[in-house]
Every structure is written in C-alpha cells, then in structure tokens.
Amino acid sequence: EPEVTQTPSHQVTQMGQEVILRCVPISNHLYFYWYRQILGQKVEFLVSFYNNEISEKSEIFDDQFSVERPDGSNFTLKIRSTKLEDSAMYFCASSPRASVPIGYTFGSGTRLTVV
Amino acid sequence: GQSLEQPSEVTAVEGAIVQINCTYQTSGFYGLSWYQQHDGGAPTFLSYNGLDGLEETGRFSSFLSRSDSYGYLLLQELQMKDSASYFCAVRDILTGGGNKLTFGTGTQLKVEL
C-alpha cells in the first residue's frame, strides 16, 4: 500500500537553530499538508500546498515557517529559528483530488524536540 | 472558526460496543471524518460521512446528523488493539485547492479484559 514517508523520525535541535523536516508524499497525490501535534493534544493544521503554492495556512504558520517542493517527490517544512514551543510531532499528509472525499494519508511523523 | 468537542476518555471491555460522540461548530462543512491514532503514531483514516446517516465499515460505523452538528463513531466487538485515540475531523474544501481537516480534541479509548 502506498505510504507517506517522513525523515527524520526524531530531531533534537537547539533553540534558535533552523530545522528542515522532509516528506515524500504518495506519488499520484496532488495536495500536501503539514500538521503538528503537541504531546497529549489534538492534531493542528499548519499549511496546505497545491500546484507549487500554499493554498491555506493557519495562524501557527508564521514567518518562521516555510514549505517547499524542491523536486517532483519531496515536500519540506522549514522552521527558521526554532523556539521551545515548536517542540511537537510534525505530520506530513497527502491527498488526491479535492473532490474525492476520502481521508488523507499521514506519514509516521517527525518528533521535534527544541532544547 | 471551527471547534469540535469529544469526550476525553472512554473505557470499555473487550467484546463490547462503544460510541464516541463528536459535536462541532464550523464555518464551512463538507463532511466528518474519523481517525485512529496509536500512541502518537500516524493518524489513520477510519470513516467518512458526507451526508446524514450511517456508514458501516466492518466493525466500525459512523453516523452524521448535519442538522444537529453531531456525529459518532461506533466500534463493535471491541478488541484490545482498538485501544487508541480517536479523532473526529471536519472537512472543509479550500478555495486554493485541497481539503483542510480540523481535528477534534480526541477521545482516548481504553479496552479492558
């Protein structure tokens, strides 16, 4: 079964450092997303990406965050200057056409720990 | 804005039936989904309701009442492996393309012997 892969599975970084989280969505999917989940809390929407541009972003997705699809397969989330409160599990997801009301496929996540 | 409320925790015994409720307040609504998450792992899609009524997928069923802004997930013949967090999520279609899922607060289901 096709899957979304994320690397690394766990990243520890010092406050103020830049991190790049990587994702390989399912190959024939068109829409890509980043979500985050702070430990013990709900899954929160960060950003959606389609046709090489952001289609929506949340209030969490401020100027410190950016996304990129540098080639035909990878989808990255960059945090420019990490803060302690950025510590969370970050999930990448992809979906096919918007008209298809099936679920996203989520990756296994990257646990980001900012120290 | 959007908000979805679920009970924080439900406990049931193996073999039983359990219902997890979800009430929502949303500005845009194109359906209610349910996801299962084990121990902080990837949320996995369980079920989707775009219209009122019951959808059945094996041991899992999901119900939606749009007039009541309410839905539930029904799990039958509970197994120990069903112990997980369950999230309802409202689907909104983005004008820029794609779907946006807004997740509920999550319900921790504990299945006991």
Side-chain angles (χ1 to χ4, degrees), chain A residues 9 26 33 40 56 62 66-67 74 79 90 103 105 107 109-110 115:
Chain A
S9 57
I26 293 174
Y33 313 87
E56 183 163 331
D62 61 21
S66 63
V67 289
N74 290 286
I79 309 175
Y90 288 81
T105 302
T110 294
V115 297

Side-chain angles (χ1 to χ4, degrees), chain A:
Chain A
E1 189 169 326
E3 59 180 29
V4 175
T5 57
Q6 289 186 244
T7 54
S9 57
H10 192 182
Q11 171 116 30
V12 181
T13 189
Q14 288 197 325
M15 192 169 53
Q17 294 298 303
E18 175 183 286
V19 294
I20 297 176
L21 310 183
R22 302 181 191 279
C23 169
V24 179
I26 293 174
S27 60
N28 63 350
H29 282 187
L30 302 177
Y31 302 90
F32 314 115
Y33 313 87
W34 283 101
Y35 281 75
R36 80 170 187 190
Q37 186 178 32
I38 295 170
L39 186 64
Q41 298 186 23
K42 66 179 180 180
V43 180
E44 299 176 290
F45 172 78
L46 290 179
V47 66
S48 64
F49 192 87
Y50 168 69
N51 200 26
N52 286 319
E53 60 183 25
I54 291 173
S55 51
E56 183 163 331
K57 58 185 180 180
S58 71
E59 293 175 352
I60 303 168
F61 195 89
D62 61 21
D63 292 344
Q64 294 301 311
F65 290 86
S66 63
V67 289
E68 220 176 28
R69 188 157 165 80
D71 52 43
S73 60
N74 290 286
F75 180 51
T76 61
L77 174 70
K78 182 193 291 186
I79 309 175
R80 289 189 183 81
S81 178
T82 50
K83 303 187 278 284
L84 294 176
E85 54 265 38
D86 293 328
S87 294
M89 181 74 93
Y90 288 81
F91 291 105
C92 172
S94 67
S95 68
R97 304 186 314 277
S99 59
V100 179
I102 66 171
Y104 291 0
T105 302
F106 280 86
S108 301
T110 294
R111 181 170 298 285
L112 177 65
T113 303
V114 183
V115 297

